[in-house]
Amino acid sequence: MLTVENLVAGYGKVRVLQGISLDVQQGQLVTLIGSNGAGKTTTLRALSGMIKPDFGSIRIGGADITGLSSHEITRKGVAHSPEGRRVFPVLSVEDNLVMGAFTRLTGSRPKGDVKADLARMFDLFPRLAERRLQLAGTLSGGEQQMLAMARALMLNPEVLLLDEPSMGLAPKLVEEVFSTISRLKAAKVTMLLVEQFAAAALEVADYGYVLENGRIAASGPAERLKNDPAVKAAYLGAAH
Amino acid sequence: MFDFQTLIQLIVSGISVGMIYGVVAFGYQLTFATSKTLNFGQGEALMLGSLAGFTIMTQIGSIFGIPLPIAYVLMLPFVLIFGMAQGALVEWLGVRQAIKTKSEAGWIMATIALGIIFKNLAENIWGRDTFTFPNPLPEQAIQIMGIRILPMEVLIVCGAIALMAAVEMFNRRSIYGKAVVATAADIGAAGLMGVNTAQVITLSYALSSLTAAFAGVLVAPVTLTGAGLGSALGLKAFAVAIIGGLTSGVGVVVGGVLLGITDRLTGYYISTGYQDVPGLVLLLLVLSFKPSGLFGKSAIKKV
């Protein structure tokens, strides 16, 4: 579904990604783990067009999307729940979700049943249903995270990019986020998950990539990575 | 002896001119919200709207022999479209490149330059002299408890409020309006929703000039019109946008009316020569003590 080859990207003259390749199959949950500054967020930003890759290629379902603007990439079905959530604080919860379906409502993606999808999101995230008409800026961090994920899902995406959905959340909420991700996986949503909680991410994922200094240092089925001594030592820690 | 009735009279006429400042200031806000840039040729957009309106209206009137009020109404959609096209042109020629290259000051010079070009163009087409804009409503003032109010002044206030309400409705209700609000809140995240944010910025320039052009045909029947109409109004409205706050819709109405009234009071009680001073003093005070504007939430960007 999503194929990345030799991706080089960064900010100005600083190259963060030194040429990474990865592959996300349809219906798969793939996780990208690594320490802070390894380039996880940069990878997602390059995939969704928030920054322009310097080199390499990105394909979605066979179509080349390398170098397109983020709105064009979104129209191809890549949904990105970005770092820091980035919900629209001055819009209501419902309007944030409606914005998630912007491409469907304006004819650049198949419309489907937006109303039914809204209802589905409120089912999936009951807390959002309670706050339907509240401004997103007044939500708690956990609720904003739910909203960011739900908003991305409103695209009916071919692939969903999730950037550190657990960041800054209380342990109980982190659990909730991961159980939501499991449910999405069960519903066959194709996902690329960037996470700092490597153990939890590998627990739910089918496949994993370990990013180190802008390069893929290891990859393999999540089960295998979880038991890989080197990965264990570097990212999972003794406590996990 | 202090004449209370004159005071009320001045306030009433200050309100109508203040609403014009408010509408034009509202236009400044529209582009600032989406792109953190301003069209410093906003006054010229107003002037062009009024002159284009004059020409369209006299054409409609002369060809079909249509009465003035109807000719005025028929002229409005043309002027609004003209305003949108003019605003989109300004964005395309003067602002887009500056935004793309993240130039801090490029758009300032470009929009000022375009304003001057538009003014020269207008001088060549319509001449340098001022002239009367046909008044669609009766010239006879309405008397309410001794206060004289021109029907056109009532129309100015109603029209200004209607226009701002219409833009507000568009932003709240329509999916494209929501895209504008989303772009204003977080341009990167709006892009992730599939919104072509460059187009949204063009749209905000189009809407901004539309409001100015509309203000132009509202104000022209009570003032005179001409190529010189814009400069002073544009600057006043800019002061209003700063005083009211570049992010506050209520602020520009209050700021506009405040400035309109102080203008009139100073003009009458002190001297018309000092008419512009109190408003500008207020501007300086606001910049010193509350740079985000009386009603503004966030600090304005250095200009």
Short mmCIF file of all heavy atoms in Angstrom, two decimals, chain A residues 48 50 70-71 74-75 80 82 86 88-91 95-96 98-100 102-103 105-106 151, chain B residues 171-172 175-176 178-179 181-183 185-197 199:
data_model
loop_
_atom_site.label_atom_id
_atom_site.label_comp_id
_atom_site.label_asym_id
_atom_site.label_seq_id
_atom_site.Cartn_x
_atom_site.Cartn_y
_atom_site.Cartn_z
N SER A 48 3.62 12.82 4.41
CA SER A 48 2.37 13.54 4.19
C SER A 48 2.58 14.89 3.52
O SER A 48 1.65 15.68 3.38
CB SER A 48 1.63 13.74 5.52
OG SER A 48 2.33 14.63 6.33
N MET A 50 4.32 17.49 4.49
CA MET A 50 4.54 18.68 5.31
C MET A 50 5.96 19.22 5.10
O MET A 50 6.20 20.41 5.28
CB MET A 50 4.31 18.37 6.79
CG MET A 50 2.84 18.06 7.09
SD MET A 50 2.56 17.70 8.83
CE MET A 50 2.23 19.33 9.49
N SER A 70 0.94 18.79 0.73
CA SER A 70 0.20 17.95 1.68
C SER A 70 -1.27 17.81 1.30
O SER A 70 -1.85 16.75 1.48
CB SER A 70 0.38 18.44 3.11
OG SER A 70 -0.06 19.75 3.26
N HIS A 71 -1.88 18.88 0.74
CA HIS A 71 -3.29 18.70 0.40
C HIS A 71 -3.48 17.71 -0.74
O HIS A 71 -4.47 16.98 -0.79
CB HIS A 71 -3.98 20.05 0.10
CG HIS A 71 -3.58 20.69 -1.18
ND1 HIS A 71 -2.55 21.60 -1.26
CD2 HIS A 71 -4.07 20.56 -2.43
CE1 HIS A 71 -2.43 22.00 -2.52
NE2 HIS A 71 -3.34 21.39 -3.24
N THR A 74 -3.06 14.24 0.79
CA THR A 74 -4.27 13.88 1.54
C THR A 74 -5.35 13.39 0.58
O THR A 74 -6.06 12.43 0.87
CB THR A 74 -4.78 15.11 2.31
OG1 THR A 74 -3.73 15.58 3.15
CG2 THR A 74 -5.99 14.77 3.16
N ARG A 75 -5.44 14.04 -0.57
CA ARG A 75 -6.46 13.64 -1.55
C ARG A 75 -6.21 12.25 -2.11
O ARG A 75 -7.11 11.62 -2.65
CB ARG A 75 -6.54 14.69 -2.67
CG ARG A 75 -7.17 15.97 -2.15
CD ARG A 75 -7.05 17.15 -3.09
NE ARG A 75 -7.50 18.35 -2.37
CZ ARG A 75 -7.74 19.52 -2.95
NH1 ARG A 75 -7.56 19.67 -4.24
NH2 ARG A 75 -8.13 20.55 -2.23
N HIS A 80 -2.89 11.94 8.24
CA HIS A 80 -1.77 12.13 9.16
C HIS A 80 -2.30 12.74 10.46
O HIS A 80 -2.81 13.86 10.44
CB HIS A 80 -0.74 13.05 8.49
CG HIS A 80 0.50 13.26 9.30
ND1 HIS A 80 1.55 14.02 8.85
CD2 HIS A 80 0.87 12.82 10.52
CE1 HIS A 80 2.52 14.03 9.76
NE2 HIS A 80 2.11 13.31 10.79
N PRO A 82 -0.93 14.36 13.34
CA PRO A 82 0.44 14.84 13.50
C PRO A 82 0.90 14.96 14.95
O PRO A 82 0.09 14.88 15.88
CB PRO A 82 0.38 16.23 12.86
CG PRO A 82 -1.01 16.68 13.07
CD PRO A 82 -1.87 15.44 13.07
N ARG A 86 -2.46 19.03 16.91
CA ARG A 86 -2.85 20.05 15.92
C ARG A 86 -4.34 20.06 15.60
O ARG A 86 -4.72 20.25 14.44
CB ARG A 86 -2.03 19.87 14.62
CG ARG A 86 -0.52 19.77 14.83
CD ARG A 86 0.14 21.10 14.88
NE ARG A 86 0.11 21.81 13.60
CZ ARG A 86 1.13 21.81 12.73
NH1 ARG A 86 2.22 21.12 12.97
NH2 ARG A 86 1.06 22.53 11.64
N PHE A 88 -8.02 21.89 15.55
CA PHE A 88 -8.33 23.30 15.35
C PHE A 88 -9.04 23.82 16.59
O PHE A 88 -10.22 23.52 16.81
CB PHE A 88 -9.21 23.47 14.11
CG PHE A 88 -8.56 22.94 12.86
CD1 PHE A 88 -9.09 21.85 12.19
CD2 PHE A 88 -7.40 23.52 12.37
CE1 PHE A 88 -8.48 21.35 11.04
CE2 PHE A 88 -6.78 23.03 11.24
CZ PHE A 88 -7.32 21.94 10.57
N PRO A 89 -8.34 24.58 17.42
CA PRO A 89 -8.89 24.96 18.73
C PRO A 89 -10.16 25.79 18.64
O PRO A 89 -11.02 25.70 19.51
CB PRO A 89 -7.76 25.76 19.38
CG PRO A 89 -6.85 26.16 18.29
CD PRO A 89 -6.99 25.13 17.22
N VAL A 90 -10.31 26.58 17.56
CA VAL A 90 -11.48 27.47 17.47
C VAL A 90 -12.68 26.81 16.81
O VAL A 90 -13.74 27.42 16.70
CB VAL A 90 -11.14 28.77 16.70
CG1 VAL A 90 -10.16 29.62 17.49
CG2 VAL A 90 -10.55 28.45 15.33
N LEU A 91 -12.52 25.58 16.37
CA LEU A 91 -13.65 24.85 15.80
C LEU A 91 -14.17 23.86 16.84
O LEU A 91 -13.43 23.38 17.69
CB LEU A 91 -13.25 24.08 14.54
CG LEU A 91 -12.91 24.90 13.29
CD1 LEU A 91 -12.55 23.97 12.13
CD2 LEU A 91 -14.07 25.80 12.89
N ASP A 95 -16.98 20.03 14.15
CA ASP A 95 -16.43 20.71 12.97
C ASP A 95 -15.01 20.24 12.67
O ASP A 95 -14.59 20.18 11.51
CB ASP A 95 -16.47 22.23 13.13
CG ASP A 95 -17.85 22.80 12.80
OD1 ASP A 95 -18.65 22.05 12.21
OD2 ASP A 95 -18.11 23.97 13.13
N ASN A 96 -14.24 19.89 13.70
CA ASN A 96 -12.93 19.30 13.47
C ASN A 96 -13.08 18.01 12.67
O ASN A 96 -12.32 17.75 11.74
CB ASN A 96 -12.23 19.01 14.80
CG ASN A 96 -11.32 20.15 15.25
OD1 ASN A 96 -10.17 20.22 14.86
ND2 ASN A 96 -11.85 21.06 16.05
N VAL A 98 -15.62 17.17 10.78
CA VAL A 98 -16.10 17.53 9.44
C VAL A 98 -14.92 17.95 8.56
O VAL A 98 -14.83 17.58 7.39
CB VAL A 98 -17.17 18.64 9.53
CG1 VAL A 98 -17.45 19.24 8.16
CG2 VAL A 98 -18.46 18.10 10.14
N MET A 99 -13.98 18.71 9.16
CA MET A 99 -12.79 19.11 8.40
C MET A 99 -11.98 17.89 7.98
O MET A 99 -11.34 17.90 6.94
CB MET A 99 -11.92 20.07 9.22
CG MET A 99 -12.36 21.53 9.17
SD MET A 99 -12.69 22.13 7.51
CE MET A 99 -11.04 22.06 6.77
N GLY A 100 -12.00 16.85 8.81
CA GLY A 100 -11.32 15.61 8.45
C GLY A 100 -11.89 15.02 7.17
O GLY A 100 -11.20 14.36 6.40
N PHE A 102 -13.09 16.89 4.76
CA PHE A 102 -13.13 18.00 3.79
C PHE A 102 -13.04 17.51 2.34
O PHE A 102 -13.83 17.93 1.49
CB PHE A 102 -12.00 18.99 4.08
CG PHE A 102 -11.92 20.13 3.10
CD1 PHE A 102 -12.77 21.22 3.22
CD2 PHE A 102 -11.01 20.11 2.05
CE1 PHE A 102 -12.71 22.28 2.31
CE2 PHE A 102 -10.95 21.15 1.13
CZ PHE A 102 -11.80 22.23 1.26
N THR A 103 -12.10 16.61 2.07
CA THR A 103 -11.92 16.15 0.69
C THR A 103 -13.15 15.40 0.20
O THR A 103 -13.47 15.44 -0.99
CB THR A 103 -10.71 15.21 0.58
OG1 THR A 103 -10.87 14.17 1.54
CG2 THR A 103 -9.41 15.94 0.85
N LEU A 105 -16.25 15.94 1.24
CA LEU A 105 -17.37 16.86 1.11
C LEU A 105 -17.20 17.81 -0.07
O LEU A 105 -18.14 18.47 -0.49
CB LEU A 105 -17.53 17.67 2.40
CG LEU A 105 -17.99 16.85 3.62
CD1 LEU A 105 -17.77 17.63 4.91
CD2 LEU A 105 -19.46 16.47 3.47
N THR A 106 -15.98 17.89 -0.59
CA THR A 106 -15.74 18.83 -1.68
C THR A 106 -15.39 18.11 -2.98
O THR A 106 -14.91 18.73 -3.93
CB THR A 106 -14.62 19.83 -1.32
OG1 THR A 106 -13.45 19.09 -0.95
CG2 THR A 106 -15.02 20.72 -0.17
N ARG A 151 -10.31 12.61 13.60
CA ARG A 151 -10.32 13.54 12.47
C ARG A 151 -9.57 12.93 11.28
O ARG A 151 -10.03 13.02 10.13
CB ARG A 151 -9.65 14.84 12.91
CG ARG A 151 -9.66 15.93 11.88
CD ARG A 151 -8.97 17.18 12.39
NE ARG A 151 -7.54 16.95 12.59
CZ ARG A 151 -6.67 17.90 12.94
NH1 ARG A 151 -7.10 19.14 13.14
NH2 ARG A 151 -5.41 17.64 13.10
N ASN B 171 -18.26 31.53 7.04
CA ASN B 171 -17.20 30.86 7.80
C ASN B 171 -17.74 29.79 8.73
O ASN B 171 -17.10 28.77 8.94
CB ASN B 171 -16.42 31.89 8.63
CG ASN B 171 -15.44 32.66 7.78
OD1 ASN B 171 -15.19 32.30 6.63
ND2 ASN B 171 -14.89 33.73 8.33
N ARG B 172 -18.90 30.04 9.31
CA ARG B 172 -19.41 29.09 10.29
C ARG B 172 -20.14 27.92 9.67
O ARG B 172 -20.07 26.81 10.16
CB ARG B 172 -20.35 29.80 11.25
CG ARG B 172 -19.59 30.48 12.35
CD ARG B 172 -20.48 31.32 13.20
NE ARG B 172 -19.67 32.30 13.89
CZ ARG B 172 -19.83 32.62 15.15
NH1 ARG B 172 -20.78 32.06 15.84
NH2 ARG B 172 -19.05 33.51 15.71
N ILE B 175 -18.69 24.45 4.32
CA ILE B 175 -17.47 23.66 4.46
C ILE B 175 -16.25 24.48 4.00
O ILE B 175 -15.18 24.40 4.59
CB ILE B 175 -17.59 22.31 3.70
CG1 ILE B 175 -16.32 21.46 3.87
CG2 ILE B 175 -17.89 22.49 2.22
CD1 ILE B 175 -16.11 20.91 5.24
N TYR B 176 -16.44 25.34 2.99
CA TYR B 176 -15.33 26.17 2.53
C TYR B 176 -14.99 27.24 3.57
O TYR B 176 -13.83 27.57 3.79
CB TYR B 176 -15.64 26.78 1.17
CG TYR B 176 -15.69 25.75 0.08
CD1 TYR B 176 -16.90 25.26 -0.39
CD2 TYR B 176 -14.52 25.20 -0.44
CE1 TYR B 176 -16.96 24.27 -1.37
CE2 TYR B 176 -14.56 24.22 -1.42
CZ TYR B 176 -15.77 23.76 -1.87
OH TYR B 176 -15.82 22.77 -2.84
N LYS B 178 -15.42 26.85 6.77
CA LYS B 178 -14.71 26.16 7.84
C LYS B 178 -13.24 25.94 7.46
O LYS B 178 -12.36 25.98 8.31
CB LYS B 178 -15.39 24.81 8.14
CG LYS B 178 -16.66 24.98 8.95
CD LYS B 178 -17.46 23.69 9.07
CE LYS B 178 -18.83 24.02 9.64
NZ LYS B 178 -19.73 22.87 9.59
N ALA B 179 -13.03 25.69 6.16
CA ALA B 179 -11.65 25.53 5.70
C ALA B 179 -10.86 26.82 5.89
O ALA B 179 -9.67 26.79 6.23
CB ALA B 179 -11.64 25.11 4.22
N VAL B 181 -11.46 29.06 8.29
CA VAL B 181 -11.21 29.16 9.73
C VAL B 181 -10.09 28.20 10.14
O VAL B 181 -9.20 28.56 10.93
CB VAL B 181 -12.50 28.85 10.54
CG1 VAL B 181 -12.22 28.89 12.03
CG2 VAL B 181 -13.59 29.84 10.17
N ALA B 182 -10.12 26.99 9.59
CA ALA B 182 -9.08 26.01 9.90
C ALA B 182 -7.72 26.50 9.44
O ALA B 182 -6.72 26.37 10.16
CB ALA B 182 -9.42 24.66 9.25
N THR B 183 -7.67 27.09 8.25
CA THR B 183 -6.40 27.61 7.73
C THR B 183 -5.88 28.72 8.63
O THR B 183 -4.69 28.79 8.92
CB THR B 183 -6.58 28.14 6.30
OG1 THR B 183 -7.10 27.09 5.49
CG2 THR B 183 -5.27 28.63 5.72
N ALA B 185 -6.44 29.00 11.77
CA ALA B 185 -6.03 28.44 13.06
C ALA B 185 -4.70 27.70 12.95
O ALA B 185 -3.85 27.81 13.84
CB ALA B 185 -7.11 27.50 13.59
N ASP B 186 -4.52 26.92 11.90
CA ASP B 186 -3.31 26.11 11.78
C ASP B 186 -3.16 25.71 10.31
O ASP B 186 -3.77 24.75 9.85
CB ASP B 186 -3.44 24.86 12.67
CG ASP B 186 -2.15 24.03 12.69
OD1 ASP B 186 -1.37 24.09 11.71
OD2 ASP B 186 -1.94 23.31 13.68
N ILE B 187 -2.32 26.46 9.62
CA ILE B 187 -2.25 26.29 8.16
C ILE B 187 -1.71 24.91 7.78
O ILE B 187 -2.18 24.29 6.83
CB ILE B 187 -1.45 27.46 7.53
CG1 ILE B 187 -1.66 27.52 6.02
CG2 ILE B 187 0.04 27.37 7.87
CD1 ILE B 187 -1.26 28.85 5.41
N GLY B 188 -0.76 24.40 8.57
CA GLY B 188 -0.19 23.08 8.29
C GLY B 188 -1.23 21.98 8.46
O GLY B 188 -1.37 21.10 7.61
N ALA B 189 -1.98 22.05 9.56
CA ALA B 189 -2.99 21.04 9.82
C ALA B 189 -4.11 21.14 8.78
O ALA B 189 -4.66 20.12 8.36
CB ALA B 189 -3.56 21.20 11.23
N ALA B 190 -4.43 22.35 8.33
CA ALA B 190 -5.46 22.51 7.30
C ALA B 190 -5.03 21.81 6.02
O ALA B 190 -5.83 21.16 5.35
CB ALA B 190 -5.76 23.98 7.05
N GLY B 191 -3.75 21.92 5.69
CA GLY B 191 -3.22 21.22 4.52
C GLY B 191 -3.41 19.72 4.65
O GLY B 191 -3.74 19.03 3.68
N LEU B 192 -3.21 19.21 5.86
CA LEU B 192 -3.39 17.77 6.10
C LEU B 192 -4.85 17.33 5.93
O LEU B 192 -5.13 16.16 5.72
CB LEU B 192 -2.92 17.39 7.51
CG LEU B 192 -1.42 17.46 7.78
CD1 LEU B 192 -1.13 17.04 9.21
CD2 LEU B 192 -0.65 16.58 6.80
N MET B 193 -5.77 18.27 6.03
CA MET B 193 -7.18 17.95 5.81
C MET B 193 -7.50 17.91 4.32
O MET B 193 -8.62 17.63 3.92
CB MET B 193 -8.10 18.99 6.47
CG MET B 193 -7.93 19.16 7.97
SD MET B 193 -8.26 17.65 8.88
CE MET B 193 -6.59 17.21 9.40
N GLY B 194 -6.52 18.28 3.49
CA GLY B 194 -6.75 18.32 2.05
C GLY B 194 -7.14 19.69 1.56
O GLY B 194 -7.56 19.86 0.41
N VAL B 195 -7.00 20.69 2.42
CA VAL B 195 -7.35 22.06 2.03
C VAL B 195 -6.16 22.67 1.26
O VAL B 195 -5.03 22.62 1.74
CB VAL B 195 -7.66 22.93 3.27
CG1 VAL B 195 -7.91 24.38 2.85
CG2 VAL B 195 -8.84 22.37 4.03
N ASN B 196 -6.43 23.20 0.10
CA ASN B 196 -5.40 23.91 -0.66
C ASN B 196 -5.27 25.30 -0.03
O ASN B 196 -5.99 26.23 -0.37
CB ASN B 196 -5.80 23.99 -2.12
CG ASN B 196 -4.72 24.63 -2.97
OD1 ASN B 196 -3.82 25.29 -2.44
ND2 ASN B 196 -4.79 24.43 -4.26
N THR B 197 -4.32 25.42 0.89
CA THR B 197 -4.26 26.64 1.70
C THR B 197 -3.83 27.86 0.88
O THR B 197 -4.19 28.98 1.22
CB THR B 197 -3.33 26.45 2.91
OG1 THR B 197 -2.08 25.93 2.46
CG2 THR B 197 -3.93 25.49 3.91
N GLN B 199 -4.90 28.49 -2.06
CA GLN B 199 -6.17 28.97 -2.61
C GLN B 199 -7.00 29.71 -1.56
O GLN B 199 -7.67 30.69 -1.85
CB GLN B 199 -6.98 27.78 -3.13
CG GLN B 199 -6.98 27.67 -4.63
CD GLN B 199 -7.62 26.36 -5.08
OE1 GLN B 199 -8.50 25.80 -4.43
NE2 GLN B 199 -7.16 25.85 -6.21
#
